[in-house]
Amino acid sequence: MGRQATMSDIARRAGVSRVAVSYAINGRPGVSDAVRERILRIAAELGFLPSVPAQALHGAAAHAIGLAVSRPSPGLSVETFHRRLISGIQAELAGRGFGLVLQFVTGHDDELDVYRRWHGERRVDGVIVSDLTLDDPRPRALASMGLPAVILGEPSGPGGLTHLWSDPAAGADLVAGHLAALGHRRVARVCGPAGLLPAARRAGLFAAACERAGMACTLIPTDRTGEAGAQVTRRVLSSTPRPTAIVYDNDVMAVAGLSVAGEMGLAVPGELSLVAGDDFPLCQAVRPALTVLSRDVDALGGQAVRLLFELLDGGEPRHVPAPAAQLVTRGSTGSAPR
């Protein structure tokens, strides 16, 4: 492998000083347009790759947005929310000439270390933060370090940050009202982890909506994987009295639950109604197709990017409600068995 080209190599080839090369590559004034064009052309011919720390010293923009996901990559392969979120982020960034820096982390401390490194080395111009937890330290830390950020979640921490979220109360009322109208009185909700703020909020609001609708509700927190969804479903359906409807926090668990119901000989929706908390193609491909609380997660990713660019352009942080989730009724919900 040949030696990596340097700014000195470019300067010799272009017949200019190394300082002029630095100014041209980092987009700083101090060189004419003609000289800048010649330097950039030679840099491309030599395959020059600028040092990220060196660019940081000169204040160059990274032209990238960061997203850290507290989940191992195998989980992402089946977790629809983050795949669709990333798709929406990338689609919006592509039209702006920016890239996405994706990092898997093991927890909040690891994630904050990543943010500090990204910010110190100017690897990203801003970040999008998801999966807020109870007493989450990330919003306050990001505000302190001055890294532009859009938080996907309800405002609950320090001010001065942009938040984007959809109202979970509306979705809870839609699902509870739908099941109550079908005559259901015993409902189970298979939730996300108890420490995850959005999951806890959705679970609490759904339980309250069930109470208002005259239904008994059992909340069961899980890790949102298909395996966990199957295990919980089998346990719930083996209980006495068993619920006549189960609501899942995501689509993966709902599909697994539908499979378990079939294995246990329960007809859906004749003996058991099922509702998924997210929508993806398999929800329509299974039989019966799953009733879902559908969110446009791709659009959410794009909206988060646009809000982040508002901050990068000097705009003020603000709190923005995303479009509410919509209930899409399909074949997996029906009248409660008598």
Side-chain angles (χ1 to χ4, degrees):
M1 179 179 291
R3 180 178 64 87
Q4 171 66 48
T6 66
M7 286 191 184
S8 297
D9 297 329
I10 298 170
R12 283 193 295 272
R13 178 94 167 260
V16 297
S17 69
R18 189 184 181 284
V19 172
V21 172
S22 176
Y23 282 5
I25 288 176
N26 289 306
R28 300 178 66 196
V31 294
S32 68
D33 291 342
V35 170
R36 187 186 310 276
E37 182 179 347
R38 184 166 80 251
I39 289 171
L40 293 178
R41 184 180 67 252
I42 292 171
E45 291 172 355
L46 295 176
F48 174 75
L49 297 174
S51 161
V52 172
Q55 284 185 305
L57 291 174
H58 294 287
H63 296 289
I65 298 304
L67 176 68
V69 180
S70 296
R71 191 170 284 115
S73 52
L76 188 69
S77 66
V78 296
E79 211 279 320
T80 312
F81 176 84
H82 280 99
R83 284 196 286 118
R84 292 179 58 190
L85 179 70
I86 290 168
S87 175
I89 290 172
Q90 288 182 317
E92 183 68 27
L93 290 176
R96 299 173 179 269
F98 271 59
L100 174 66
V101 179
L102 177 64
Q103 178 77 49
F104 293 99
V105 293
T106 57
H108 288 340
D109 290 342
D110 186 20
E111 185 170 342
L112 289 173
D113 285 342
V114 168
Y115 291 153
R116 293 185 187 98
R117 184 173 72 252
W118 281 350
H119 189 45
E121 298 179 352
R122 291 300 299 272
R123 291 184 179 273
V124 300
D125 297 302
V127 296
I128 295 172
V129 180
S130 66
D131 290 339
L132 290 182
T133 59
L134 302 174
D135 299 320
D136 199 309
R138 293 173 296 171
R140 189 174 302 279
L142 286 165
S144 296
M145 71 178 73
L147 179 60
V150 170
I151 312 295
L152 300 182
E154 296 178 72
S156 59
L161 295 172
T162 290
H163 286 259
L164 172 64
W165 80 101
S166 57
D167 180 11
D173 288 336
L174 284 173
V175 176
H178 174 62
L179 294 176
L182 292 171
H184 294 277
R185 292 296 175 263
R186 294 188 307 278
V187 181
R189 181 178 179 96
V190 184
C191 316
L196 198 63
L197 185 58
R201 282 277 290 146
R202 288 193 296 267
L205 289 168
F206 181 72
C210 286
E211 184 177 0
R212 289 194 298 271
M215 297 187 296
C217 177
T218 301
L219 302 177
I220 309 164
T222 69
D223 64 5
R224 297 196 300 190
T225 63
E227 181 180 2
Q231 291 174 348
V232 169
T233 300
R234 194 175 301 278
R235 185 170 74 246
V236 167
L237 294 181
S238 300
S239 64
T240 303
R242 68 172 178 245
T244 60
I246 304 177
V247 179
Y248 297 87
D249 209 44
N250 68 7
D251 42 23
V252 175
M253 293 193 297
V255 170
L258 177 63
S259 177
V260 168
E263 292 172 2
M264 297 181 69
L266 293 174
V268 177
E271 297 173 278
L272 176 70
S273 288
L274 302 178
V275 179
D278 283 317
D279 196 10
F280 78 131
L282 190 56
C283 290
Q284 300 180 54
V286 295
R287 289 294 176 267
L290 288 167
T291 292
V292 298
L293 192 61
S294 180
R295 297 177 289 169
D296 193 342
V297 181
D298 297 77
L300 183 74
Q303 188 176 6
V305 171
R306 291 191 293 274
L307 288 171
L308 188 51
F309 272 91
E310 284 186 12
L311 297 175
L312 298 179
D313 290 337
E316 292 296 321
R318 58 194 184 105
H319 299 165
V320 181
Q326 301 295 318
L327 182 67
V328 180
T329 57
R330 298 183 182 130
S332 68
T333 50
S335 298
R338 297 187 181 277

